[in-house]
Amino acid sequence: MRLLVMNPNTTASMTAAIRATATAAAAPGTEIIATEPLWGPESIEGHFDGYLSAAAVLDRLATLDTPFDALVMAGFGEPGREGAQELLDVPVLDITESAAQMAMMLGHAYGIVTTLDRSVPQIRDRLLTAGLLQRCAAVRGSGLGVLELERNPERTVEVITEVAREVVEAGAEVICLGCGGMAGLQERVAAELGVPVVDGVAAAVKFAEATVGLGLSTSASRSFAAPRPKAIGSWPLSAHLFPGSTTQGEDIRHLTTGTRSRPSSTPPAWEDP
């Protein structure tokens, strides 16, 4: 089984941390491929960044000539997952819903610790849309920017733990780490709190493995049917930003519609309509 884990920002060091967490969570025999968009914001801290990132992620998926069995989107509370579900014919899991679903299996109420306070409404909106907000006791910002998470790991754990205690006092029995950049910190925070702490990347990897193992994928009967064929100006954008560029295992080609990918058992065929 091969899982593609997509860091929605362009910071390679964060992709490496996400890859390490995904690999540690994966079962023997599961191959993890982690990447990031070719263009877009270096971190995502608001709606503007989020929508730019969503377009960049879809561009990356439309030009990535690497077969995979499921996609894990490692952005917390950010848009674009539904577009990926239309574009691909493999399961698509995101870390927001995966973390919340896992947390609800472990306690009556859960809470989330994220980065900046401005991200809180965006995360709450995502949980509301997913039908997961009712059992969320609180979503709190830590005051740390996304790129700050890597600068001082000790301080990061200290701040997250402090805010997580407030979330537990608000009624949460399980804590979710609300940023892909927090991947790998769950054990240290849990040791300080004494309650389960869920990392969304690890949870999404396990859900992806289960979904693929059961032979299931996204329903394409209505909401997530393939995009209708139509001309899309300058799509994919990366073909214009990086003309003629290729990297190992990748091939940038021209598309005028969203052609759905194939799982790793069948080589992908990106074709013009």
Side-chain angles (χ1 to χ4, degrees), residues 38-39 59-60 63 234-245 252:
L38 298 176
W39 56 272
D59 178 286
R60 183 69 163 141
T63 58
S234 300
W235 178 260
L237 182 58
S238 59
H240 300 271
L241 292 175
F242 314 103
S245 66
I252 295 177

Side-chain angles (χ1 to χ4, degrees), residues 4 22 28 34 48 68 74 82 87 90 96 110 113 127-128 131 157 161 176 185 212 252 254 261 264-265 271-272:
L4 175 65
F48 177 75
F68 51 92
E82 295 87 351
L87 184 66
V90 298
T96 315
Y110 69 95
V113 178
L127 295 173
L128 178 63
V157 172
T161 302
C176 297
L185 303 181
V212 173
I252 295 177
H254 175 67
S261 78
S264 61
S265 58
E271 300 175 347
D272 290 340

Side-chain angles (χ1 to χ4, degrees), residues 53-200:
S53 168
V57 166
L58 292 174
D59 178 286
R60 183 69 163 141
L61 291 171
T63 58
L64 185 66
D65 196 18
T66 299
F68 51 92
D69 297 291
L71 169 67
V72 170
M73 298 184 70
F76 208 97
E78 292 146 21
R81 196 279 310 278
E82 295 87 351
Q85 286 180 294
E86 292 185 7
L87 184 66
L88 305 176
D89 63 2
V90 298
V92 178
L93 289 298
D94 86 329
I95 65 174
T96 315
E97 294 184 21
S98 295
Q101 294 280 11
M102 182 70 75
M104 291 192 299
M105 298 177 190
L106 304 174
H108 179 264
Y110 69 95
I112 296 171
V113 178
T114 188
T115 50
L116 300 179
D117 182 66
R118 66 177 295 165
S119 300
V120 171
Q122 195 170 350
I123 291 173
R124 290 181 62 86
D125 284 349
R126 187 72 191 179
L127 295 173
L128 178 63
T129 300
L132 301 170
L133 186 59
Q134 185 175 0
R135 287 174 59 184
C136 182
V139 182
R140 300 277 172 85
S142 64
L144 296 172
V146 173
L147 299 181
E148 290 181 74
L149 298 172
E150 297 181 320
R151 292 176 187 166
N152 188 337
E154 295 302 321
R155 175 61 178 161
T156 295
V157 172
E158 180 182 330
V159 172
I160 291 173
T161 302
E162 180 181 344
V163 177
R165 284 199 178 96
E166 298 175 3
V167 175
V168 170
E169 291 173 0
E173 300 170 5
V174 183
I175 295 294
C176 297
L177 300 180
C179 177
M182 296 177 181
L185 303 181
Q186 65 273 18
E187 292 183 4
R188 296 183 61 186
V189 177
E192 294 290 334
L193 291 178
V195 301
V197 176
V198 178
D199 173 76

